[in-house]
């Protein structure tokens, strides 16, 4: 018997199908060992940054089972994922189970061919790869522990900081400050509706957008007072090339913008597709497509779209770091146009299929037509040209496979130069320049990659961490920093600017890559970093003041208790105004100056620990939490808040509960009050009406569609498209 060990049960199932007879396949179910929670025991710094691992809780059984099987096995093969994390898991299994000479195999797709081929070419565990993973783990633990400790002392208990999460938070805060400093400017957009000689209608827009209302009116006057003609028609052919196949980062970005998935959700769906053998390994920054896959892609394109659509291309990645996985994310079998068990798996698979296929297809050809017109007057061209640009697809090329990438087509009626136009109507619209926009999750992944912060294996975790810590919240699609995020980032930027800079973080990633390549030594790298860093933390611990005061409050807000001046402070729920004489006087106001009711005991006891329950006011209204926070994290909505959340609409699924408003990681949603027994939920507030087409609940829509069906499959979900 041969024993083959992987990290996930799904992978076990897929591989068992391929290996008949002599193989027993077992899963470690993720990591089996980790650093202990207590920091003293975790890392022996003086001894050379030696980590002391402990078997993770609940993994004792897995370890002893593997030990038993290994004794009976002729050969033990470690087939964990093909990157540093996978190499580390393999090494931990070897160490914890006392395996003598296990073989290590890697494959980038879980297909019969790839697995059987890998078994023919085993190697030893790559000490450099697993050391690089260990260095990252130790580094992150040391930085996180030291910085968090300092922030507990200087800002507030329970907060955290981290080597890569803090630079990401800083990037968000830098944008936020740009937005705060932004001064909007007025400008006017002028558009006219014209009739051509053929009685077609056409809308032309002024090529300049005046910043001044007087100038705008001047243009309007001349436009109305004079006859018009077409002065130029310019045609040009342009092309659009397909994009490279997916890397982790572009997969996360596209899944976010097209499907609305967060990076961590995308990664967990992709992982399931990978483990079923449907796609190649999803953590990669390579644009490579294997020699075996290319002919399959070419064949699929010729068969499904025709010869003229095929255009073989080679993509080279600009990432200089040779990460271990060396293929782009692609389907393993191109004949499968649809695959996956669930709706979300199918959607992500389709995205990957389309992206890979279209990357080997011909350019799309577009015909652009620019029509410019002006007034006919004695003084000639005293107002800017009015124009329109039309765009028609002459050949769709790769867009045939990736229909969602198709832009809007603008058709322009047949016109000729010199043709007279009749002005029907002209209007100006006052607008204001917009501040730079906040990052979306997809935008932040792109920014992190551009600045070389993080790696395919870490983007999703970074973005999840800053949200889990309460430094950033997601509103709609954008990431909004909280007051706490602002204060923590400002503290770190003022005191550890070098350590959370782009260049430093990117340099550390490069050093980790060099450890993986065997070009840099583990102990020296950690020592070179940690010696000055820990000294800096100690110095800052003595020299920086505790942040108790975030500035003076507006003078018009006096303490509601003693009438004295107030200052801005940070609470768990955000900024508020506190009496400057605190703790002698406990008067407080909300940040907007309104009166705040202080924390109040409710008289009830905590169902989790028996402590007193306390009602407080937070960012999203009143809530009840345990007096033993942060030891006990029990939290619930206040009765008043609960009443506000009720919609009065009964749950159509269990017919017992009521639909109530809830706040989740993706913002507000509406679900059954019988949760978790009933999992019914919809995205927007139900209006109380029932859909005439399918009988589902109707819900609030947008400005243009005031009401829509909550059932996504119903045509009434997008009523504007049914007309
Ligand atoms: Zn006071
Ligand atoms: Zn409690
Ligand atoms: Zn229900
Ligand atoms: Zn419906």
């Amino acid at each position: 018997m041969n024993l083959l060990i992987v990290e996930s049960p799904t992978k076990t199932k897929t591989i068992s199908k391929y290996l008949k007879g002599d193989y027993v396949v077992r899963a470690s179910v993720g990591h089996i060992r980790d650093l202990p929670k207590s920091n003293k025991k975790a890392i022996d710094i003086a001894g050379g940054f030696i980590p002391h691992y402990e078997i993770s809780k609940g993994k004792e059984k897995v370890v002893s089972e593997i030990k038993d099987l290994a004794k009976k096995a002729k050969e033990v093969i470690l087939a964990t994922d093909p990157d540093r994390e996978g190499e580390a898991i393999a090494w931990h299994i070897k160490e914890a189970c006392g395996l003598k000479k296990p073989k290590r195999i890697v494959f980038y797709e879980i297909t019969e061919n790839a697995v059987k081929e890998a078994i023919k070419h085993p190697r030893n565990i790559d000490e450099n790869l697993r050391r690089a993973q260990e260095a990252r783990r130790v580094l992150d633990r040391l930085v996180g522990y030291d910085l968090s400790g300092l922030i507990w002392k200087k800002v507030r208990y329970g907060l955290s900081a981290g080597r890569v999460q803090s630079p990401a938070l800083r990037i968000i805060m830098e944008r936020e400050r740009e937005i705060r400093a932004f001064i909007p400017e007025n400008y006017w957009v002028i558009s006219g509706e014209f009739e051509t000689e053929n009685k077609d209608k056409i809308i032309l827009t002024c090529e300049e957008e005046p910043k001044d209302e007087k100038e705008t009116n001047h243009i309007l006057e001349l436009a109305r007072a004079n006859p018009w003609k077409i002065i130029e028609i310019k045609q040009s052919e342009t092309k659009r090339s397909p994009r490279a196949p997916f890397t982790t980062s572009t997969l996360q970005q596209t899944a976010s913008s097209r499907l609305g998935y967060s990076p961590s959700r995308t990664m967990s769906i992709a992982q399931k597709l990978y483990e079923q053998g449907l796609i190649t390994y999803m953590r990669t920054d390579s644009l490579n497509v294997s020699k075996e896959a290319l002919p399959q892609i070419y064949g699929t394109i010729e068969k499904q779209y025709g010869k003229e659509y095929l255009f073989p291309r080679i993509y080279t990645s600009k990432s200089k770091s040779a990460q271990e996985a060396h293929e782009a994310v692609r389907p393993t079998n191109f004949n499968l146009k649809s695959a996956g068990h669930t709706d979300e798996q199918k959607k992500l698979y389709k995205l990957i299929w389309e992206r890979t296929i279209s990357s080997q297809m011909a350019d799309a050809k577009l015909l652009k037509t620019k029509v410019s017109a002006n007034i006919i007057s004695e003084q000639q061209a005293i107002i800017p040209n009015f124009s329109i640009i039309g765009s028609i697809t002459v050949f769709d090329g790769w867009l045939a496979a990736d229909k969602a990438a198709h832009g809007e087509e603008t058709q322009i009626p047949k016109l000729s130069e010199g043709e007279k136009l009749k002005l029907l109507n002209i209007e100006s619209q006052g607008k204001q320049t917009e501040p730079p926009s906040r990052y979306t999750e997809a935008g932040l992944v792109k920014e992190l990659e551009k600045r070389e912060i993080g790696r395919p294996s870490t983007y999703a975790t970074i973005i999840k961490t800053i949200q889990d810590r309460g430094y950033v919240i997601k509103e709609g699609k954008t990431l909004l920093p909280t007051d706490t995020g602002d204060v923590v980032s400002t503290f770190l930027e003022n005191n550890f600017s070098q350590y959370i800079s782009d260049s430093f973080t990117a340099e550390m990633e490069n050093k980790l890559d060099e450890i993986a390549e065997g070009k840099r030594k583990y102990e020296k790298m950690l020592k070179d970093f940690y010696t000055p860093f820990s000294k800096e933390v100690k110095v800052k611990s003595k020299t920086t003041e505790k942040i108790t005061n975030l500035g003076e409050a507006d003078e018009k807000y006096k303490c509601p208790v003693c009438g004295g001046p107030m200052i801005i402070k940070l609470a768990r729920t955000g900024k508020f105004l506190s009496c400057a004489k605190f703790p002698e006087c406990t008067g407080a106001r909300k940040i907007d100056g309104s009166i705040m009711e202080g924390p109040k005991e409710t008289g009830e006891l905590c169902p989790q620990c028996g402590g007193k329950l306390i009602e407080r006011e937070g960012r999203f209204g009143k809530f009840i939490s345990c007096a033993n926070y942060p030891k006990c994290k029990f939290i619930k909505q206040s009765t008043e808040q609960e009443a506000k959340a009720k919609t009065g609409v009964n749950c159509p699924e269990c017919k017992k509960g009521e639909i109530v408003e809830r706040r989740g990681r993706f913002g507000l949603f509406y679900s059954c009050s019988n949760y978790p027994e009933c999992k019914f939920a919809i995205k927007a507030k139900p209006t109380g009406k029932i859909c005439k087409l399918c009988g589902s609940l109707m819900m609030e829509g947008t400005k243009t569609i005031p009401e829509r069906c909550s059932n996504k499959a119903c045509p009434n979900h997008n009523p504007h498209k049914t007309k």
Side-chain angles (χ1 to χ4, degrees), residues 558-566 578-582 584-588:
K558 299 279 186 242
C559 172
V561 177
C562 73
M566 305 194 81
S578 156
C579 179
K581 277 182 263 163
F582 181 86
E584 283 96 74
C585 174
T586 56

Side-chain angles (χ1 to χ4, degrees), residues 606-613 625-629 631-634:
C606 172
Q608 270 168 29
C609 75
K612 282 181 183 159
L613 285 185
S625 66
C626 181
N628 289 335
Y629 182 87
K631 263 196 191 138
C632 172
K633 295 215 163 53
F634 177 79

Side-chain angles (χ1 to χ4, degrees), residues 178-240:
E178 274 175 53
I179 295 170
R180 285 177 197 161
F182 182 81
I183 300 164
E185 266 178 60
N186 294 326
Y187 68 95
W188 279 264
V189 175
I190 310 171
S191 299
E193 192 185 9
F194 297 85
E195 192 178 74
T196 69
E197 288 174 3
N198 278 336
K199 306 279 176 214
D200 286 317
K201 279 181 186 152
I202 184 169
I203 289 172
L204 303 176
T205 303
C206 184
E207 285 182 1
E208 275 167 37
E209 293 169 341
K211 293 200 164 81
D212 175 70
E213 192 160 20
K214 242 171 79 188
E215 199 191 330
T216 305
N217 289 333
H218 179 68
I219 294 173
L220 287 174
E221 263 167 46
L222 286 172
R224 288 187 183 117
N226 291 287
W228 283 76
K229 71 167 185 189
I230 290 173
I231 55 166
E232 191 180 44
I233 297 175
K234 247 201 230 160
Q235 284 199 325
S236 58
E237 219 176 68
T238 58
K239 55 179 192 182
R240 275 181 71 195

Side-chain angles (χ1 to χ4, degrees), residues 402-413:
D402 189 358
K403 294 226 159 59
H406 230 291
E408 291 271 312
E409 303 245 313
T410 322
Q411 294 274 4
I412 288 181

Side-chain angles (χ1 to χ4, degrees), residues 82-85 87-88 104 106 123 125-134 324 515-518:
D83 57 11
R84 292 176 204 174
E85 206 66 31
E87 205 70 21
R104 166 82 170 122
V106 288
R123 58 165 169 82
I125 286 175
D126 186 326
E127 189 60 17
N128 293 329
L129 283 186
R130 79 111 194 133
R131 270 261 146 161
Q133 189 273 347
E134 189 161 76
E324 292 76 32
I515 292 181
E517 291 156 24

Side-chain angles (χ1 to χ4, degrees), residues 620-666:
F620 302 119
K622 287 184 181 164
F623 66 96
I624 292 169
S625 66
C626 181
N628 289 335
Y629 182 87
K631 263 196 191 138
C632 172
K633 295 215 163 53
F634 177 79
I635 192 162
K636 68 168 191 176
Q637 280 187 333
S638 76
T639 22
E640 188 185 317
Q641 206 66 27
E642 228 164 59
K644 243 197 256 169
K646 286 187 176 167
T647 62
V649 177
N650 287 332
C651 173
E653 197 152 299
C654 68
K655 309 239 165 24
K656 284 181 216 139
E658 179 183 336
I659 307 299
V660 292
E661 182 181 283
R662 289 210 162 95
R663 183 172 286 275
R665 278 190 47 218
F666 304 109

